[in-house]
């Protein structure tokens, strides 16, 4: 339900190209050629998510960077863009991407693609984030020429998450504890997968959940499940860096248990726990604007705050 940051197919298309030509045009709206040893390149490492995030306008991407840095991703600052790397999960497209300073200016889409390949010469994907709040993505025809499409996500916020109108009173809702709970979380992700090759998706999900478990163990939030007779039938993550800003991750309900109030009950319960135990004061959800769940989030008190743009080849969202 939260499309941004979910599974991306491993090495499914687009052969990686070699390093970019250093004469590649730069200028406003486009990348500048940079030597990796240039003093204009700064590696923020995994322990300082606030430095790059402070220069990012998009709340969606700021919270992405917050969580990626906490789980060990590397965020490197160039003159004109950020590079995000997650070596532990190389098929996680939106853990291995570059963040542009804004919508690509005319004539700069192909240079941005070459900049991505320069940063990720072995990648089997292309992922370009666009910093901004209004949904501007660049010229559609130029994007199409580069075999890119713009996926638009809705960034939603709430200072208080309301109880659902029809809560599920049957399920046991709690934060995961122990290996068996995390095994069930992986099984739920596999059951909810309807779009990707099962084996590849399971490996991606295993790595993603391992990173989330590390965050939970570190006290940065938790993964929550709704259990029906001991079986996990819905789940989500909610994490924060201690600043009061908390980001939801990957709300999912087992296909056989949908339309029973589980998602709304879980979203509300996780928020209440985060307020009491993690100091959360503002909640962020990034949602697919075309999926039915967005109406649920609005009913729980979330309001649309901005549009978030992801540029990638068609069919990769």
């Amino acid at each position: 339900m939260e499309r941004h940051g979910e599974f991306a197919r491993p090495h499914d298309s687009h052969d990686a190209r070699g390093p970019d030509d250093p004469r590649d045009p730069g200028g406003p709206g486009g990348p500048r050629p940079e030597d990796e040893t240039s003093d204009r390149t700064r590696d923020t490492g995994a322990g300082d998510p606030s430095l790059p995030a402070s220069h990012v306008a998009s709340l969606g991407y700021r919270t992405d960077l917050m969580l990626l840095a906490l789980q060990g991703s590397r965020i490197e600052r160039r003159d004109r863009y950020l590079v995000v790397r997650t070596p532990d999960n190389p098929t996680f497209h939106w853990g291995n991407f570059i963040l542009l300073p804004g919508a690509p200016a005319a004539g700069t889409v192909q240079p941005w693609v070459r900049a991505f390949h320069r940063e990720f010469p072995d990648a089997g994907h292309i992922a370009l984030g666009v910093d901004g709040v209004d949904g501007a993505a660049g010229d559609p025809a130029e994007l199409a020429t580069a075999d890119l499409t713009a996926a638009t996500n809705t960034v939603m916020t709430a200072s208080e998450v309301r109880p659902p109108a029809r809560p599920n009173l049957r399920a046991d809702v709690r934060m995961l504890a122990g290996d068996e709970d995390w095994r069930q979380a992986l099984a739920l992700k596999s059951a909810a997968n309807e779009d990707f090759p099962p084996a590849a998706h399971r490996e991606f999900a295993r790595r993603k959940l391992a990173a989330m478990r590390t965050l939970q163990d570190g006290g940065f939030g938790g993964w929550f499940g709704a259990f029906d007779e001991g079986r996990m039938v819905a789940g989500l993550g909610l994490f924060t860096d201690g600043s009061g800003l908390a980001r939801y991750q990957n709300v999912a309900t087992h296909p056989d248990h949908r339309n029973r109030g589980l998602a709304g009950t879980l979203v509300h319960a996780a928020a209440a726990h985060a307020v009491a135990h993690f100091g959360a004061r503002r909640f962020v959800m990034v949602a697919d604007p075309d999926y039915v769940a967005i109406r649920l989030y609005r009913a729980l008190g979330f309001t649309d705050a901005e549009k978030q743009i992801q540029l990638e080849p068609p069919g990769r969202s």
Side-chain angles (χ1 to χ4, degrees):
M1 295 186 188
E2 184 176 79
R3 180 173 62 191
H4 186 94
E6 259 297 352
F7 176 72
R9 296 180 185 178
H11 306 294
D12 46 2
S13 66
H14 293 275
D15 292 337
R17 299 180 179 89
D20 205 2
D21 187 326
R23 295 166 295 180
D24 199 21
R32 295 178 184 170
E34 293 177 299
D35 188 315
E36 286 297 326
T37 62
S38 168
D39 60 6
R40 296 175 307 200
T41 298
R42 179 166 187 175
D43 180 356
T44 67
D48 187 9
S50 63
L51 180 59
S54 66
H55 299 282
V56 174
S58 164
L59 178 62
Y61 279 115
R62 286 207 310 274
T63 51
D64 282 333
L65 294 177
M66 175 184 78
L67 295 188
L68 286 165
L70 287 173
Q71 66 189 262
S73 298
R74 299 194 67 80
I75 302 169
E76 303 165 4
R77 189 167 65 188
R78 307 290 190 251
D79 262 359
R80 297 290 296 164
Y81 59 95
L82 296 179
V83 183
V84 181
R85 306 182 192 277
T86 306
D88 290 343
N89 201 352
T91 66
F92 178 16
H93 288 194
W94 294 103
N96 297 278
F97 69 100
I98 66 173
L99 181 61
L100 282 56
T108 67
V109 173
Q110 287 288 5
W112 277 123
V113 171
R114 290 194 290 271
F116 176 87
H117 286 300
R118 184 173 66 245
E119 299 289 356
F120 297 95
D122 298 320
H125 70 278
I126 302 170
L128 310 177
V130 176
D131 187 21
V133 300
D134 59 1
D139 178 55
E142 189 175 347
L143 292 174
T145 298
D147 192 28
L148 294 176
T149 188
T152 302
N153 302 312
T154 299
V155 180
M156 314 179 77
T157 64
S159 57
E160 181 181 359
V161 179
R162 296 193 292 259
R166 292 187 228 177
N168 186 300
L169 303 178
R170 173 187 173 94
D172 174 25
V173 177
R174 58 178 173 81
M175 198 161 70
L176 304 194
D179 292 345
E180 174 59 20
D181 281 0
W182 288 96
R183 186 198 66 76
Q184 289 209 46
L186 180 57
L188 172 62
K189 278 186 168 288
S190 296
N193 170 40
E194 299 172 348
D195 300 312
F196 304 102
H201 178 272
R202 183 178 178 84
E203 177 58 19
F204 164 82
R206 184 191 67 78
R207 293 177 183 235
K208 185 75 179 291
L209 283 171
M212 297 298 101
R213 186 173 186 177
T214 298
L215 289 191
Q216 178 172 307
D217 291 345
F220 294 106
W223 205 269
F224 297 82
F227 294 81
D228 187 348
E229 296 184 349
R231 181 188 181 195
M232 186 173 173
V233 293
L236 60 79
L238 184 57
F239 295 94
T240 178
D241 63 352
S243 66
L245 193 64
R247 170 73 180 266
Y248 282 91
Q249 293 280 281
N250 311 136
V251 181
T253 303
H254 192 284
D256 295 339
H257 293 263
R258 291 173 182 165
N259 301 313
R260 300 182 187 182
L262 288 165
T265 300
L266 197 53
V267 169
H268 173 257
H273 186 97
V275 169
H277 298 280
F278 304 128
R281 299 186 302 274
R282 187 184 184 195
F283 300 92
V284 180
M285 180 85 74
V286 180
D288 185 337
D290 299 321
Y291 194 72
V292 64
I294 198 168
R295 295 200 298 268
L296 167 65
Y297 304 146
R298 289 170 180 152
L300 295 174
F302 286 87
T303 58
D304 298 10
E306 64 183 52
K307 296 178 181 178
Q308 185 186 53
I309 298 297
Q310 298 170 315
L311 304 179
E312 58 184 342
R316 306 299 190 268
S317 297

